[in-house]
Amino acid sequence: MRPSNSGDVGYDDPWYDALASGWGESTGARVPPGRREHETVAAADVYLDVQRSAAFQEVRSRHRRFVVPAVAAFLTWYVAYVVTATTLPGLMARPVAGAVNLGMLAGLGQFLTTFLLTWAYVRHARLRRDRAALELRWDTQELTRARDGVS
């Protein structure tokens, strides 16, 4: 904080003019303190190049191919449970074994599918995306160091 000419206390925010889409673009955004203009642009260019690369697009595609159907299936199952519980209470109250009814089993099924979906997501990420994402990360760091002249 620093005092301004009018006697008020001001706040010097280095990110005040930074764009939401990323700094370093040629729209007059302020460069963060301690960085030179060409370094910022070089780093931004590296990340844009990586984002446009086929490897990055493949990682995103693998992510979407799992997440979109999984979310759609889980939300359908959840909405079906809620709708059935509110519109057909007699069906949900049907006894299955002793005091356990169909509604209780369906409710426990919600927990079970949450855990199964989490396990499936972690397994999918480990087997299909983590290695490729890590390679992209290393490539990005190497390109950034090369552009900054660090060896």
Side-chain angles (χ1 to χ4, degrees), residues 3-14:
S4 62
N5 293 340
S6 64
D8 294 334
V9 174
Y11 180 71
D12 188 17
D13 185 4

Side-chain angles (χ1 to χ4, degrees), residues 141-142 144-151:
Q141 288 178 356
E142 287 176 10
T144 304
R145 286 185 186 123
R147 289 207 179 183
D148 288 342
V150 178
S151 49

Side-chain angles (χ1 to χ4, degrees), residues 129-147:
R129 291 192 329 264
D130 286 352
R131 185 178 306 272
L134 185 60
E135 289 173 5
L136 275 171
R137 182 178 179 183
W138 283 109
D139 291 346
T140 304
Q141 288 178 356
E142 287 176 10
L143 287 171
T144 304
R145 286 185 186 123
R147 289 207 179 183

Side-chain angles (χ1 to χ4, degrees), residues 61-110:
S61 174
R62 289 178 185 177
H63 176 73
R64 285 189 192 122
R65 281 193 305 255
F66 179 86
V67 169
V68 170
V71 167
F74 185 77
L75 286 178
T76 301
W77 159 230
Y78 176 74
V79 169
Y81 170 72
V82 171
V83 168
T84 304
T86 57
T87 59
L88 300 171
L91 174 68
M92 297 299 261
R94 184 172 294 165
V96 175
V100 177
N101 61 25
L102 192 60
M104 291 172 75
L105 288 179
L108 291 172
Q110 291 287 317

Side-chain angles (χ1 to χ4, degrees), residues 18-135:
L19 301 174
S21 62
W23 39 271
E25 297 177 8
S26 61
T27 58
R30 288 169 63 186
V31 178
R35 301 290 303 239
R36 292 187 294 276
E37 181 72 29
H38 71 280
E39 288 176 352
T40 303
V41 173
D45 287 342
V46 167
Y47 288 102
L48 289 173
D49 291 344
V50 169
Q51 184 179 7
R52 293 181 188 121
S53 72
F56 182 81
Q57 296 304 321
E58 179 62 25
V59 169
R60 286 187 60 165
S61 174
R62 289 178 185 177
H63 176 73
R64 285 189 192 122
R65 281 193 305 255
F66 179 86
V67 169
V68 170
V71 167
F74 185 77
L75 286 178
T76 301
W77 159 230
Y78 176 74
V79 169
Y81 170 72
V82 171
V83 168
T84 304
T86 57
T87 59
L88 300 171
L91 174 68
M92 297 299 261
R94 184 172 294 165
V96 175
V100 177
N101 61 25
L102 192 60
M104 291 172 75
L105 288 179
L108 291 172
Q110 291 287 317
F111 285 103
L112 180 63
T113 54
T114 300
F115 294 125
L116 287 174
L117 187 59
T118 302
W119 170 81
Y121 177 80
V122 169
R123 182 176 185 273
H124 179 269
R126 181 174 36 87
L127 295 176
R128 308 239 189 262
R129 291 192 329 264
D130 286 352
R131 185 178 306 272
L134 185 60
E135 289 173 5

